[in-house]
Amino acid sequence: MTRTPVNVTVTGAAGQIGYALLFRIASGHLLGADVPVKLRLLEIPQGLKAAEGTAMELDDCAFPLLRGIDISDDPATAFDGTNVALLVGARPRTKGMERGDLLEANGGIFKPQGKAINDHAADDVKVLVVGNPANTNALIAQAAAPDVPAERFTAMTRLDHNRAVSQLAARTGAAVSDIKKLTIWGNHSATQYPDVFHAEIAGKNAAEVVNDEAWLADTFIPTVAKRGAAIIEARGASSAASAANAAIDHVHTWVTGTAEGDWTSMAIPSDGSYGVPEGLISSFPVTCAGGRYEIVQGLEINEFSRPRIDASVQELADEREAVRGLGLL
Ligand SMILES: NC(=O)c1ccc[n+]([C@@H]2O[C@H](COP(=O)([O-])OP(=O)(O)OC[C@H]3O[C@@H](n4cnc5c(N)ncnc54)[C@H](O)[C@@H]3O)[C@@H](O)[C@H]2O)c1
Ligand SMILES: O=C(O)C[C@H](O)C(=O)O
């Protein structure tokens, strides 16, 4: 039986994450080796020519699963019938720009894109926001899409999750595959909190294996939280291949499920769990099954973790107030 292709829209398709992402979507890493895809690339007019070049390269790969590529600078066209929307294109912070200016500039992108998703996407659309500030951009898009169930709007903290797993593996000598149940809480920003207190390393409690709170506080947490800045410093450009890889992981896990005995981190609309105000798009430990996610409940939050989670959540609440003030919600 021939499967109907899944429509995948990628915004900012001509950017550096787009270039690292599109080939992996087309080769089956996003949705599975038996799922054909149609790509919809959204760019601003200045990016269209480069997007066309990328589409030529995608053609030249002769991917068996790739059933078409459309390129547009019109959100209504790019999101028409889309099942998976990866919102990557965003306005980067430029010199002298205040955070409020950045939120306003991104409001001009994510509000119309949210409306286009509302009006044109498929009923089962799933949205991942990668473009920064990702959590609040997701909130802006969600607010502009009242007909789409709110839980379909998510933002990416999987890169932070993967970074934390990698740092923990390096410190303990464990294999990455032995590390389970790590959590990123809060915002995809320097305030995020990577939590190892419920994580396991080959079945043992990770915090007990590490047994060094000073290392957690002074090395592990800042290394993970400031990794994006360290990559920019080293590369002269922000993370691209690792960000694309995390976007693939986020959607793949959402669609295909978490492994038994493990969970992942996704920024999702809060239902009030763990004291995170309802509606904020904040990172939580989640399990996925059947194309849906659920917050892992009942975790004890200790004295080390509580203020760190609260600080990141407070930043999200402040960002929500700022975009409310700008009339974006
Ligand atoms: N959440 C995360 O973990 C994470 C990690 C890395 C990067 N990021 C963010 O992802 C975003 C993209 O990064 P990049 O390195 O690919 O940037 P980039 O500048 O290389 O590419 C961005 C692309 O978006 C396009 N674009 C701008 N406005 C658009 C719009 N309204 N519609 C469609 N396309 C538009 C631009 O033309 C450009 O081609 C940035 O905001 C970056 O900070 C997030
Ligand atoms: O683009 C950035 O500011 C950094 C990025 O969000 C990252 O975490 O690598």
Side-chain angles (χ1 to χ4, degrees):
M1 197 175 77
T2 317
R3 285 188 65 158
T4 312
V6 176
N7 292 318
V8 180
T9 301
V10 178
T11 77
Q16 47 155 7
I17 295 177
Y19 194 73
L21 186 58
L22 290 164
F23 297 85
R24 294 193 61 200
I25 300 172
S27 59
H29 289 92
L30 188 77
L31 299 170
D34 57 348
V35 183
V37 291
K38 274 191 181 171
L39 284 170
R40 301 280 174 78
L41 314 188
L42 180 68
E43 257 297 343
I44 51 175
Q46 307 88 290
L48 287 176
K49 190 150 188 269
E52 278 161 21
T54 304
M56 288 162 70
E57 283 203 72
L58 283 160
D59 284 341
D60 294 350
C61 293
F63 288 119
L65 292 172
L66 184 57
R67 299 296 157 81
I69 311 169
D70 296 322
I71 305 170
S72 178
D73 61 1
D74 173 20
T77 306
F79 290 114
D80 189 28
T82 201
N83 307 103
V84 178
L86 303 175
L87 309 192
V88 179
R91 173 75 199 275
R93 192 200 292 253
T94 42
K95 219 174 166 190
M97 206 175 187
E98 299 297 330
R99 200 165 176 89
D101 301 331
L102 183 71
L103 290 170
E104 188 165 21
N106 278 301
I109 295 174
F110 288 87
K111 194 172 174 180
Q113 289 184 2
K115 173 142 184 30
I117 289 169
N118 189 67
D119 295 348
H120 302 284
D123 287 346
D124 67 350
V125 68
K126 288 180 163 61
V127 182
L128 167 63
V129 176
V130 175
N132 282 321
N135 303 52
T136 297
N137 286 340
L139 197 63
I140 294 168
Q142 181 202 58
D147 303 331
V148 178
E151 74 271 11
R152 305 284 187 76
F153 285 84
T154 68
M156 190 164 94
T157 49
R158 185 63 173 265
L159 178 54
D160 311 297
H161 180 102
N162 290 346
R163 286 167 171 165
V165 168
S166 171
Q167 292 298 322
L168 198 54
R171 161 78 185 197
T172 59
V176 157
S177 55
D178 281 339
I179 298 181
K180 315 268 188 236
K181 298 184 177 175
L182 194 133
T183 306
I184 304 293
W185 298 92
N187 200 359
H188 171 68
S189 76
T191 68
Q192 66 177 266
Y193 173 51
D195 178 356
V196 304
F197 286 95
H198 305 284
E200 293 171 3
I201 302 178
K204 298 198 179 93
N205 180 272
E208 284 169 19
V209 173
V210 170
N211 194 24
D212 186 349
E213 233 172 64
W215 178 78
L216 287 179
D218 302 335
T219 303
F220 173 72
I221 295 171
T223 300
V224 174
K226 295 181 190 161
R227 187 72 164 181
I231 302 276
I232 292 171
E233 176 65 28
R235 246 173 53 85
S238 64
S239 61
S242 56
N245 178 68
I248 296 275
D249 284 351
H250 176 114
V251 173
H252 189 262
T253 302
W254 189 358
V255 170
T256 63
T258 37
E260 186 64 34
D262 200 3
W263 65 61
T264 189
S265 305
M266 289 169 69
I268 57 169
S270 175
D271 61 358
S273 294
Y274 297 103
V276 179
E278 207 175 328
L280 287 180
I281 298 195
S282 186
S283 189
F284 285 98
V286 300
T287 53
C288 301
R292 301 170 72 87
Y293 58 77
E294 261 180 43
I295 297 175
V296 176
Q297 295 295 341
L299 301 178
E300 196 193 324
I301 306 299
N302 65 17
E303 281 175 15
F304 184 93
S305 300
R306 189 74 256 175
R308 291 175 164 87
I309 296 173
D310 290 349
S312 195
V313 168
Q314 184 58 49
E315 183 182 51
L316 286 171
D318 293 346
E319 288 183 12
R320 179 163 71 178
E321 277 321 296
V323 292
R324 257 200 198 125
L326 293 165
L328 293 168
L329 296 186

